Amino acid sequence: MNPTSFVPGAQLARRQAMQSFLGVSPALVAIGLFLILPILIVVAYSLMEANPYGGVNRVFSTESYLSLLFERQLDDSLAFADSYLVIALRSAGIAAATTLVTLLVGFPVAVWLSMQPPHRRGLLIFLITVPFWANLLIRTYAWILLLRGSGVVNNSLMGLGLIDAPLQLLYTDGAVLLGLVYTYAPFVVLPIYACLEKMDMRLLEAAQDLYAGRLRTLRKVVLPIARPGILAGAILTFVPCLGAMIAPELLGGGTKMMLGNLIFRQFSDARNWPFGAALSLVLMAVVMLVLTLYALRAERQRLARGGV
Amino acid sequence: MLRLFGKARLGVQDFPGFGGFSFLFYLYLYAPILVLVIFSFNANQSATIWTGFSLDWYRAAFANQALRQAAGNSLLIAVCASLAATAIATLAALGTSRGARFKGMRLSIGAIMLPLVLPEIVVGVATLALFSTLGLSLGYGNLIIAHTVFCIPFAYLPIRARLDDMDLSLEQAAADLYAGQWRTFRKVTLPLLMPGIVSGLMLAFIVSLDNFVISMMVSQAGTTTLPIFIFGLLRMGVTPDVNAVSTLILGVSVLFVTLSYLLGKKKH
């Protein structure tokens, strides 16, 4: 036996470690039992047969994974079908577009915030976070009031005489994009701001002293400092957008289907649980892949900087 | 100090237009909410043409039996889930921030954050699969369990932040004065931590109150929550009483976020 284990200090440390672990254990039990175990059950479901009345038959089948890309013909042969692939690609496309637009919108706001006098920043940041906590369903619904045929935007435009007939704003890809940008903009502003907050303003002066124009200063000084925040904001937008359900449902009218809606329908209309399970796992795998790549990158940079 | 601020202002002037753009951004954030609140007081049947002030839709909303039932369900579930999640999160925050490190601590923190990281729809599907496999049909219980799990990280983060901010020397001083571990915790750590706990509790409460996607997957007949009820109304078309209910829910959320923010700002 290791002689140091008789030293009371080591015993105390072990007791404290045990106490720490005891503190964390209820959380681990709750998450293990009601989140991790359920995901394993979803894996099992995805490998079973669909019960036509909803739920699953406990018979092994890879049908749900096959139907991601193929359609079974009458003669039982498989033919390539792209309808789900189209939805997946559309989800990725809309998520990417949302990420790009939120970055373009969020960056100037974060720069502006970081240059406000410190005593005013707290309130301004708080005002950006408030909508995040307000009910997403209701906030998205509020856009319907603005965008629909007899909505505020159309009425205003017609009142100004700019258009004669209401424009079709609702139930378009643009409306879904608008709603998603609205939802995720705070997720982009805050991490970029967190990076710029610590920026030494003398760098801007130095750049000017060296005759760098505004755009050049922005590109060569501000942008590199903001880069980790930009990356974090992009992830925080792209990942939840992939599985977004409310904006496509309400602002896309359910016709502009995204992965979230597709999964939801497999369960809500009790149509095909194994297929819904397989889709969920594909979505989760993509999300985990993005997050892992991000974590690995962050780890590499930490090591490159020689940090602890 | 004054010179520093002067320089900061010089920085803003370097990028003209950013101020105006930010103003438009705040307008974009609040315009839909304001429109909703305004039209909830509209006298007209049409939801988007203003004809005069009235409280009719609030009266209609309060008179709606199904709506009151859904609101009651939401409150019950949010109270139970946020209390349970905060208790679990407080212990977890103490375990990961005080006392000695243990093997797998980073992994444990990762697990606590998992509900925040996974797409909501996946969490909903998984919870539904669990309850369906176990044949578990506890009514409110199903929703309370599901809400507790995804509220844990929302309660954990502010409590953990408060703990990391706290000055360890006070706890050490208590130990020097021969206060036992439990006494130190009760007399020193807990009172100092309280604002963080309350802040976490309130955030967990509104997150539970507002949740739609997971609730929709897990709820059964009779356990409809407010967001599910509103979604049902929206499917039937936009009516002004939805505006009134929505405004009330937004009011509750904003109130709680503001209180939580003020608590967080409170000095130690």
Side-chain angles (χ1 to χ4, degrees):
Chain A
M1 201 187 255
N2 187 347
T4 56
S5 64
F6 291 113
V7 181
Q11 242 175 34
L12 188 71
R14 236 183 320 146
R15 220 183 80 191
Q16 282 178 336
M18 191 65 203
Q19 269 176 351
S20 303
F21 181 72
L22 277 179
V24 182
S25 52
L28 294 183
V29 169
I31 284 162
L33 215 56
F34 296 112
L35 192 59
I36 296 171
L37 172 69
I39 287 170
L40 298 178
I41 295 177
V42 172
V43 175
Y45 271 20
S46 73
L47 292 168
M48 287 178 190
E49 241 177 41
N51 183 323
Y53 301 104
V56 290
N57 292 333
R58 295 183 186 193
V59 180
F60 177 80
S61 156
T62 54
E63 193 68 28
S64 59
Y65 287 98
L66 285 175
S67 50
L68 289 171
L69 286 179
F70 300 98
E71 212 164 51
R72 208 167 270 288
Q73 306 295 98
L74 284 175
D75 61 358
D76 229 26
S77 68
L78 290 170
F80 178 72
D82 65 355
S83 54
Y84 297 124
L85 193 64
V86 166
I87 291 178
L89 290 178
R90 175 217 289 285
S91 299
I94 291 184
T98 305
T99 308
L100 192 69
V101 176
T102 45
L103 286 177
L104 287 175
V105 171
F107 180 69
V109 177
V111 171
W112 178 79
L113 272 173
S114 68
M115 296 187 180
Q116 291 306 299
H119 61 90
R120 210 184 294 159
R121 288 181 192 170
L123 182 68
L124 287 169
I125 299 283
F126 172 68
L127 286 176
I128 283 185
T129 55
V130 170
F132 166 76
W133 297 106
N135 193 308
L136 178 59
L137 183 70
I138 292 172
R139 274 186 296 144
T140 310
Y141 154 67
W143 275 106
I144 297 182
L145 297 179
L146 283 157
L147 294 180
R148 64 194 197 134
S150 60
V152 175
V153 172
N154 269 320
N155 280 351
S156 310
L157 288 176
M158 285 199 289
L160 290 170
L162 289 173
I163 52 170
D164 300 326
L167 299 171
Q168 176 67 46
L169 300 173
L170 205 56
Y171 308 139
T172 58
D173 279 342
V176 176
L177 187 67
L178 189 78
L180 288 173
V181 170
Y182 181 71
T183 310
Y184 295 108
F187 292 86
V188 163
V189 174
L190 296 178
I192 299 180
Y193 166 77
C195 285
L196 293 178
E197 189 193 23
K198 293 160 284 179
M199 180 171 68
D200 189 343
M201 290 298 162
R202 282 174 301 187
L203 288 173
L204 294 182
E205 279 188 359
Q208 274 189 329
D209 285 349
L210 297 168
Y211 296 104
R214 285 163 183 151
L215 266 180
R216 208 179 158 87
T217 309
L218 205 60
R219 209 159 45 96
K220 294 280 184 183
V221 180
V222 182
L223 205 62
I225 296 176
R227 190 160 289 142
I230 291 175
L231 191 63
I235 302 262
L236 285 174
T237 303
F238 185 78
V239 163
C241 262
L242 273 180
M245 200 188 104
I246 293 177
E249 196 76 35
L250 292 183
L251 302 178
T255 50
K256 307 283 177 189
M257 190 104 75
M258 283 175 66
L259 272 176
N261 315 70
L262 183 62
I263 294 171
F264 180 69
R265 278 165 199 220
Q266 301 309 316
F267 287 88
S268 67
D269 303 339
R271 285 210 335 248
N272 195 336
W273 285 34
F275 183 55
L279 281 169
S280 309
L281 292 174
V282 170
L283 174 62
M284 196 174 82
V286 174
V287 166
M288 286 302 172
L289 182 73
V290 173
L291 290 175
T292 309
L293 287 177
Y294 173 69
L296 284 178
R297 205 192 122 100
E299 184 74 18
R300 240 198 353 259
Q301 279 179 343
R302 204 170 54 96
L303 290 176
R305 258 186 273 117
V308 199
Chain B
M1 220 41 193
L2 205 73
R3 256 191 74 208
L4 196 86
F5 286 174
K7 278 179 185 171
R9 289 218 188 85
L10 204 118
V12 188
Q13 284 160 6
D14 275 351
F15 308 112
F18 277 27
F21 186 83
S22 301
F23 175 76
L24 288 179
F25 177 73
Y26 278 90
L27 199 69
Y28 171 62
L29 278 187
Y30 284 92
I33 297 174
L34 284 179
V35 166
L36 176 78
V37 173
I38 291 169
F39 280 110
S40 73
F41 294 109
N42 193 4
N44 194 291
Q45 177 63 250
S46 133
T48 41
I49 300 166
W50 182 261
T51 52
F53 182 87
S54 135
L55 287 173
D56 287 355
W57 302 116
Y58 286 89
R59 263 180 233 124
F62 278 113
N64 186 331
Q65 181 62 43
L67 181 77
R68 286 217 307 259
Q69 174 75 40
N73 290 346
S74 271
L75 278 178
L76 174 77
I77 292 160
V79 167
C80 295
S82 57
L83 283 173
T86 307
I88 292 170
T90 305
L91 286 173
L94 284 166
T96 49
S97 165
R98 290 290 186 273
R101 301 183 61 87
F102 56 91
K103 252 191 204 160
M105 189 150 105
R106 276 180 70 178
L107 201 68
S108 302
I109 296 176
I112 291 169
M113 290 302 147
L114 201 58
L116 207 60
V117 173
L118 288 175
E120 254 194 302
I121 185 81
V122 174
V123 177
V125 164
T127 317
L128 175 66
L130 176 80
F131 289 144
S132 140
T133 302
L134 298 178
L136 210 60
S137 178
L138 305 169
Y140 296 113
N142 285 12
L143 277 163
I144 291 171
I145 290 172
H147 281 219
T148 301
V149 170
F150 70 70
C151 284
I152 290 174
F154 288 96
Y156 174 82
L157 286 172
I159 300 173
R160 175 70 203 262
R162 179 90 187 173
L163 269 173
D164 288 350
D165 258 10
M166 269 162 51
D167 197 347
L168 262 177
S169 59
L170 288 167
E171 287 161 63
Q172 282 159 353
D176 282 349
L177 296 167
Y178 295 104
Q181 215 182 10
W182 172 240
R183 203 178 160 88
T184 306
F185 175 72
R186 222 168 40 102
K187 295 281 184 186
V188 180
T189 313
L190 197 60
L192 284 172
L193 187 56
M194 219 48 203
I197 294 178
V198 176
S199 174
L201 182 70
M202 287 195 283
L203 294 186
F205 180 79
I206 47 174
V207 165
S208 163
L209 201 64
D210 286 350
N211 181 271
F212 168 66
V213 174
I214 297 168
S215 308
M216 188 79 177
M217 301 294 296
V218 178
S219 82
Q220 299 153 327
T223 57
T224 302
T225 63
L226 213 41
I228 299 175
F229 184 80
I230 291 176
F231 186 70
L233 289 181
L234 289 180
R235 275 196 167 164
M236 290 190 272
V238 176
T239 53
D241 50 341
V242 179
N243 295 355
V245 185
S246 302
T247 302
L248 289 173
I249 299 180
L250 285 185
V252 171
S253 301
V254 171
L255 181 74
F256 273 69
V257 180
T258 310
L259 287 176
S260 171
Y261 168 73
L262 292 176
L263 267 175
K265 263 182 61 172
K266 212 173 116 181
K267 294 275 175 286
H268 298 172

